[in-house]
Amino acid sequence: MQEPLLGAEGPDYDTFPEKSSPSPSPGERTRVGAPQNRRVFLATFAAVLGNFSFGYALVYTSPVIPALELSLDPDLRLTQTQASWFGSVFTLGAAAGGLSAMVLNDLLGRKLSIMFSAVPSAAGYALMAGAHGFWMLLLGRTLTGFAGGLTAACIPVYVSEIAPPRVRGALGATPQLMAVFGSLSLYALGLLLPWRWLAVAGEGPVLVMTLLLSFMPNSPRFLLSRGRDSEALRSLAWLRGADADIRWEFSQIQDNVQRQSTRVSWAEARSPHVYRPILIALLMRFLQQLTGITPILVYLQPIFESTAVLLPPRDDAAIVGAVRLFSVLIAALTMDLAGRKVLLFVSATIMFAANLTLGLYVHFGPKPLTPNSTVGLESVPLGGTEQPLAAPTNYLTLVPLVATMLFIMGYAMGWGPITWLLMSEILPLQARGVASGLCVLVSWLTAFALTKSFLLVVNAFGLQVPFFFFAAICLANLLFTGCCVPETKGRSLEQIESFFRTGRRSFLH
C-alpha cells in the first residue's frame, strides 16, 4: 500500500516530521540508492558549467579595471565614472536575463534555456576580447550579465528537479560551487594573462557546457507539465538508472503536476500557499544581495588597494577566491547533514563579524603608504583624523585580508548557496519558472543599485560606511531566518509544496 506523502501523528499534524518513518516506501528506498547512478551527477555537472561562466564573468572587472585605468589607449582608459559603469552594468544585464527567464524557463524548458544562454555569453566575451572602445566593453559586459542572469534562474530549478531528495542539498550547492570556482579561475588567470586573453579564456566553458547539455535529458517535471509523459518517463529512467524502480517517484511527480496543470492566476496568487513561498524566496534574494557580496567581489582588488594590506592586492584577491571555493565545498558536504537553517544562522553571524571588523579597521586602522588610484576609492581620511601609515611589514595590515576571507567564508557556507537552493525548492511548480525569474530580477536590480552606489558612498562618506551597513543587514538576516525560513532537508519537492498548502503559521521546528 502506498504511503502518504505527508507525515501525521495524532491531532497535531506535522508536515515535516522530525524523525523519518522506520519503514520507508519502495519509492523512498529507490531514491536512497539513486545517488549510485552517476548520470544525475553528469547532468548536474553539464548544467552548472553555466554557473562557472557566471562566476568568471562576475569578477572579470576585478583585475581588468586597474589594468584599463593605466591603458595607453585613450579610447579604453577608464575614468572613475566609466569604471563604475563597467563594474555595475553586469548586474543590469543579469536583471534582464532574470526577466527573460520568467518566459523562457516555461517556454523552452530549463535545459534549452541554459543552452540558449551560450549565445549572449559567447558574444559578450568576443566583444570584450576585441574591444576598441568603451561601448564595446559595456556591451560585452551587459551580454555576459544577461547570460549569467538567465542561467542563475534556470540552473537551480533544473538541478532541483532532476536530483533525488537525499542529495538535493549537496547537488543544490553545486551551482554556487561552480560559480565560485569560475571566480577563482579568473583571479588565478588574472595573475598570468592580459585582460583581452581573460575574455578569450571565458569562451571555453561556454562551448563545453553547450556540447554536454545537448546529450542530457530535460527535467521530468517540465516534460510532464507539457503533456510529454512518455518522454518524461524516459528522462527519469535515464537519470535514475536502468535498475531503479521509478514507478513510485514518477507517480508522485505526475500527481503533483496534474494538480497544477494550469498556470497560476492572479486569484490563485493571492492564496497563501502560492504567495508565501514566493515572498520568502524574493526576500532571501533581496537580503542576500544587501550583505554586500556583489560590490565586494566586483571591487575586491580595488578595495584591497585602498586599504593598507601586507600582501599585493592581486594576491589577496586570489587567496580570497580560494577560501570562497573551500567554504562552498564545506556547505555542499554539510547541507544535507546539518540542515539549511543552521548553516544560514552560522553564515549570517560570520558575515556580521567580518563586516563589522572591516568597517572598524578602515575607520581606525592604518592607511596605505601610497595614494590609491583605483576607481577613486577613499583617498583621504574622514573627519580630518590623521591615521598612521602602514609599514609593509606591519602584521596589523593582515586584518583586511583575514576579515574579507571570513566574510567570503561565511557567505559561501550559507547565504550564498542555500538561497539559490531554497528558491528552487520552495517555489510552487505552477509558478516556478516565472517566480525564479522574478527572484533573479529582484536580486540583480538590488545588486546594480549597490554596485553603482558603492563608489559614490565611499567617496562621499568613506569606505567604512558600506561595511557598517552590510553588518546591520546581516543582523536582519538572522531574524528573517529564525522567523520565516522553513527547514527542507531530506524532503521531496512534493512534500515541501504540501507543507505550504497546510497553511501553518510558523516555520520554526
Side-chain angles (χ1 to χ4, degrees):
M1 182 176 177
Q2 180 177 301
E3 290 189 5
L5 196 60
L6 309 176
E9 288 187 14
D12 297 325
Y13 188 75
D14 187 5
T15 307
F16 285 7
E18 292 295 328
K19 297 182 180 180
S20 48
S21 174
S23 57
S25 68
E28 185 65 28
R29 286 194 295 269
T30 298
R31 290 198 298 275
V32 172
Q36 297 176 0
N37 175 27
R38 298 180 181 178
R39 292 176 178 177
V40 69
F41 297 107
L42 178 61
T44 299
F45 173 75
V48 298
L49 281 173
N51 292 105
F52 180 95
S53 297
F54 166 75
Y56 187 96
L58 175 64
V59 300
Y60 178 75
T61 53
S62 183
V64 173
I65 285 178
L68 289 179
E69 284 187 326
L70 303 176
S71 174
L72 299 178
D73 187 345
D75 293 331
L76 294 174
R77 189 182 304 123
L78 298 183
T79 64
Q80 177 182 328
T81 301
Q82 289 175 329
S84 174
W85 275 107
F86 187 47
S88 60
V89 75
F90 178 92
T91 57
L92 277 184
L99 188 64
S100 69
M102 296 172 67
V103 177
L104 295 178
N105 226 344
D106 290 326
L107 182 64
L108 299 180
R110 290 51 157 145
K111 189 188 86 166
L112 288 180
S113 296
I114 299 169
M115 295 178 69
F116 175 76
S117 71
V119 176
S121 183
Y125 282 126
L127 279 169
M128 290 189 289
H132 296 292
F134 181 61
W135 71 270
M136 295 180 71
L137 292 172
L138 280 187
L139 182 57
R141 186 93 171 122
T142 304
L143 287 174
T144 55
F146 180 90
L150 181 58
T151 56
C154 299
I155 292 175
V157 174
Y158 178 74
V159 171
S160 72
E161 290 185 347
I162 67 172
R166 294 273 177 139
V167 294
R168 196 175 58 247
L171 293 182
T174 54
Q176 180 72 11
L177 177 64
M178 289 299 285
V180 170
F181 188 55
S183 298
L184 177 60
S185 300
L186 187 281
Y187 291 137
L189 290 175
L191 300 174
L192 305 173
L193 299 178
W195 64 272
R196 290 188 187 274
W197 283 101
L198 286 177
V200 173
E203 301 276 9
V206 177
L207 177 62
V208 176
M209 177 197 74
T210 306
L211 290 175
L212 285 179
L213 273 179
S214 63
F215 297 101
M216 299 299 116
N218 216 321
S219 158
R221 288 173 174 83
F222 169 76
L223 293 173
L224 281 171
S225 70
R226 290 295 175 267
R228 295 151 65 180
D229 292 22
S230 60
E231 190 176 348
L233 184 60
R234 290 196 301 270
S235 172
L236 188 62
W238 188 92
L239 290 166
R240 299 295 181 260
D243 298 330
D245 182 3
I246 62 171
R247 290 172 297 177
W248 187 88
E249 183 179 5
F250 185 78
S251 67
Q252 296 303 312
I253 298 173
Q254 195 172 39
D255 289 345
N256 189 52
V257 170
Q258 287 174 352
R259 287 198 305 267
Q260 304 180 65
S261 58
T262 58
R263 288 178 177 269
V264 62
S265 64
W266 284 111
E268 291 174 315
R270 292 194 293 270
S271 175
H273 79 271
V274 174
Y275 75 74
R276 287 175 74 184
I278 293 176
L279 189 58
I280 290 173
L282 284 172
L283 286 173
M284 286 197 75
R285 301 295 298 128
F286 179 66
L287 290 172
Q288 181 201 49
Q289 287 296 339
L290 287 183
T291 61
I293 184 62
T294 301
I296 288 176
L297 289 178
V298 168
Y299 300 121
L300 185 58
Q301 186 173 323
I303 287 173
F304 282 138
E305 290 183 349
S306 68
T307 58
V309 287
L310 183 64
L311 301 176
R314 290 173 63 180
D315 293 347
D316 287 334
I319 291 172
V320 168
V323 170
R324 189 178 171 211
L325 178 63
F326 175 73
S327 303
V328 177
L329 281 172
I330 294 176
L333 295 173
T334 59
M335 202 177 295
D336 285 316
L337 298 174
R340 280 59 155 161
K341 293 187 70 168
V342 170
L343 290 178
L344 287 174
F345 280 125
V346 173
S347 172
T349 303
I350 294 175
M351 287 192 295
F352 166 74
N355 276 319
L356 185 62
T357 301
L358 280 167
L360 292 174
Y361 176 86
V362 172
H363 189 64
F364 296 110
K367 289 294 177 181
L369 288 171
T370 56
N372 172 49
S373 61
T374 305
V375 299
L377 289 181
E378 190 179 21
S379 58
V380 295
L382 274 185
T385 302
E386 291 295 332
Q387 291 151 347
L389 296 179
T393 57
N394 186 352
Y395 286 96
L396 181 63
T397 59
L398 283 173
V399 171
L401 173 61
V402 173
T404 305
M405 287 168 59
L406 281 175
F407 171 79
I408 296 296
M409 179 183 295
Y411 176 83
M413 286 179 60
W415 277 85
I418 293 179
T419 50
W420 291 106
L421 174 62
L422 279 173
M423 178 190 78
S424 61
E425 287 183 325
I426 67 177
L427 292 177
L429 176 63
Q430 62 187 134
R432 192 169 293 160
V434 174
S436 63
L438 181 61
C439 288
V440 173
L441 175 64
V442 169
S443 173
W444 289 110
L445 285 179
T446 308
F448 171 75
L450 280 177
T451 309
K452 190 70 180 71
S453 61
F454 182 80
L455 299 180
L456 301 176
V457 172
V458 167
N459 287 319
F461 304 106
L463 184 56
Q464 72 274 23
V465 173
F467 289 122
F468 288 145
F469 172 77
F470 300 151
I473 293 298
C474 292
L475 289 179
N477 289 358
L478 286 170
L479 295 174
F480 178 78
T481 301
C483 295
C484 303
V485 178
E487 180 57 74
T488 59
K489 180 184 71 172
R491 306 299 169 182
S492 71
L493 298 184
E494 287 69 39
Q495 283 178 306
I496 295 169
E497 197 154 317
S498 296
F499 167 76
F500 285 102
R501 286 185 179 275
T502 62
R504 293 176 62 186
R505 293 178 178 271
S506 174
F507 294 115
L508 295 174
H509 295 284

